[in-house]
Amino acid sequence: MNQKISRREFATLAGSGVVAIALGSPLLASAEAVSTPDAQMKAVLDELTSFNAPPTEKLSPMNARNNPTVADAVMGVLAKRRKPAVEMVGDVNH
């Protein structure tokens, strides 16, 4: 199916990155360059794996919503490093 799109639709798609994917952008051509996590991301992925959560696709929607998330893994990594997950604010004046 070969559809023509308007310039406005093209601009919208281009802004969202869809066109870059469709046109094989050189930024996206090297998947290997971004497929290896750096040390910080590896720590988060290891923490997420340590939760031993069942695969989301094998759960009901209600149970899947209760699965640990990447945010939970980040909080776990921060806790292990004894860093606050939320930056403390001394004072707010209006």
Side-chain angles (χ1 to χ4, degrees), residues 12-36:
T12 301
L13 291 173
S16 68
V18 171
V19 172
I21 293 169
L23 297 177
S25 169
L27 295 175
L28 301 172
S30 177
E32 297 87 26
V34 295
S35 64
T36 305

Side-chain angles (χ1 to χ4, degrees), residues 53-84:
T56 303
E57 64 273 8
K58 295 192 180 210
L59 300 173
S60 70
M62 180 178 274
N63 289 336
R65 288 184 192 105
N66 293 323
N67 247 4
T69 64
V70 174
D72 297 321
V74 169
M75 300 284 248
V77 169
L78 290 173
K80 286 179 180 177
R81 294 180 181 177
R82 297 180 186 248
K83 292 187 176 182

